[in-house]
Amino acid sequence: MKRLPKTFVIGLCVIIALLIVIFGINYLKGINMFKGANYYYASYTNVAGLAQSAPVTINGYKVGLVREIEYEYDNPGHIKVELSLDKSLRLTKGTKAMLVTDMLGTSSIALVMGPGKEYMEVGSQLSGEGAPGLMDNVSQNLLPGITAMIPKIDSLLTAVTAVAANPSVGTSIDHLNGTLANLETASAQLNTLMRSMPRIVNDAGSTMSNVRSMSSNLSTISGDLTSLSSQLKTMPVGATMENVRQASEALNMILQKMNSGDSSLGLLLNDRRLYNNLSNASASLDSLLIDVQKNPKRYISIKLF
């Protein structure tokens, strides 16, 4: 087999290396050389922040990128931007290429599709406009308001300084500290009370149980009293009271006879001489018993047969 010349091999390697470099650079730029694309153009007066390979979007979706940026020497003051868009994307007439700058100063192009169903030819010129960026909105809307607020802020700071220098502010702060201390103490007491609430609730439950028991007992006593009242209504109270009256009269009669001197019991109770005689007899009997104990032979004789 015949070998290839070294010069041919070196040339082939150089060509392959160049192709790899070209494809690599385009790949890093986001250009897919194997994918078809349509090219459109837009003209701007200021493309600050816009660079090659900047994204081109529709409603936030990337549909292409910026292929070339060059100055229009035949139209001074304008810069021509070449847009590489997806092959399948078709732009309607009146589509605008808005140059949008983000907060970091990087620009991109946002396509705003025009109304209607008529499409533009590939390679047509789009209407290029610059959309107000974040810094433009700040300078146009926010800065004038801030400028107008500066004198008011200065007056407010002066008033705050005067209030802070007032000695009454320190007194008010001391009072506020005292109030906060009182609130903290009250909070601690409330926490203590809340911790004792379960025991109080249990005691209340026991008390309610006792009250229910007392209520049940009262109901029973009330029933018993009702039954007793019914029984008292049916009892012969009149006859009983008559018996009591007769017994009282008989007792009075007995007491009267005891107090009178006609009966034996009355004489016994009221006659002093009878009492004295009984006392003397008792004394004589006592003396006799003592003498019997001392001299039993005098009164008892024993004979032997």
Side-chain angles (χ1 to χ4, degrees):
M1 182 177 180
K2 186 178 180 179
R3 291 187 176 183
L4 295 174
K6 290 183 178 180
T7 55
F8 178 78
V9 174
I10 293 172
L12 182 62
C13 291
V14 170
I15 293 173
I16 294 174
L18 289 175
L19 291 176
I20 292 174
V21 169
I22 293 171
F23 279 103
I25 292 173
N26 286 303
Y27 177 77
L28 294 176
K29 290 182 178 180
I31 300 173
N32 189 354
M33 299 184 66
F34 298 100
K35 184 178 181 181
N38 293 330
Y39 297 95
Y40 295 86
Y41 301 92
S43 181
Y44 300 94
T45 58
N46 187 357
V47 290
L50 185 65
Q52 290 185 2
S53 302
V56 179
T57 60
I58 296 178
N59 297 332
Y61 180 76
K62 183 179 178 181
V63 293
L65 49 83
V66 175
R67 182 66 181 266
E68 294 290 342
I69 301 175
E70 59 183 11
Y71 186 78
E72 296 184 45
Y73 294 99
D74 57 346
N75 187 13
H78 291 77
I79 299 172
K80 185 178 181 180
V81 178
E82 181 182 353
L83 307 179
S84 176
L85 305 181
D86 292 343
K87 188 76 174 179
S88 58
L89 178 64
R90 302 178 64 186
L91 302 180
T92 58
K93 288 185 177 182
T95 299
K96 297 180 180 180
M98 306 295 295
L99 184 63
V100 181
T101 304
D102 59 16
M103 185 172 60
L104 299 178
T106 303
S107 298
S108 61
I109 294 177
L111 299 179
V112 180
M113 302 290 285
K117 297 295 184 180
E118 296 183 7
Y119 297 101
M120 300 176 64
E121 294 181 359
V122 176
S124 299
Q125 181 82 18
L126 302 178
S127 176
E129 298 181 3
L134 179 62
M135 298 306 298
D136 295 333
N137 291 329
V138 169
S139 61
Q140 294 176 6
N141 300 325
L142 187 60
L143 287 179
I146 294 176
T147 304
M149 288 175 61
I150 288 176
K152 298 180 180 179
I153 293 174
D154 187 27
S155 301
L156 180 61
L157 290 176
T158 302
V160 170
T161 303
V163 171
N166 194 339
S168 60
V169 175
T171 305
S172 300
I173 292 175
D174 293 337
H175 292 166
L176 181 60
N177 290 333
T179 302
L180 291 176
N182 294 333
L183 287 176
E184 185 176 358
T185 303
S187 177
Q189 293 176 355
L190 182 60
N191 290 332
T192 303
L193 179 61
M194 292 301 295
R195 286 195 294 268
S196 63
M197 282 300 294
R199 181 175 56 82
I200 295 175
V201 171
N202 293 331
D203 294 342
S206 301
T207 304
M208 291 303 297
S209 299
N210 295 333
V211 169
R212 284 193 292 268
S213 300
M214 291 175 62
S215 176
S216 177
N217 294 333
L218 288 175
S219 299
T220 304
I221 293 171
S222 177
D224 295 339
L225 290 175
T226 303
S227 176
L228 179 61
S229 176
S230 300
Q231 293 177 3
L232 289 175
K233 288 181 180 179
T234 58
M235 288 178 63
V237 179
T240 302
M241 294 303 296
E242 180 63 24
N243 293 333
V244 171
R245 186 185 61 79
Q246 292 178 1
S248 177
E249 290 179 353
L251 182 60
N252 289 330
M253 185 179 298
I254 292 171
L255 291 175
Q256 290 176 0
K257 289 183 178 180
M258 289 176 62
N259 291 328
S260 66
D262 297 334
S263 61
S264 300
L265 186 58
L267 292 175
L268 182 61
L269 293 174
N270 298 318
D271 192 351
R272 186 69 179 180
R273 290 178 300 174
L274 181 58
Y275 173 75
N276 293 330
N277 293 333
L278 288 175
S279 296
N280 294 330
S282 176
S284 299
L285 182 59
D286 185 52
S287 299
L288 179 61
L289 290 174
I290 291 172
D291 188 57
V292 170
Q293 290 178 354
K294 290 181 178 181
N295 303 302
K297 294 180 179 182
R298 185 183 298 177
Y299 300 96
I300 300 172
S301 60
I302 300 175
K303 296 180 178 182
L304 296 175
F305 297 97

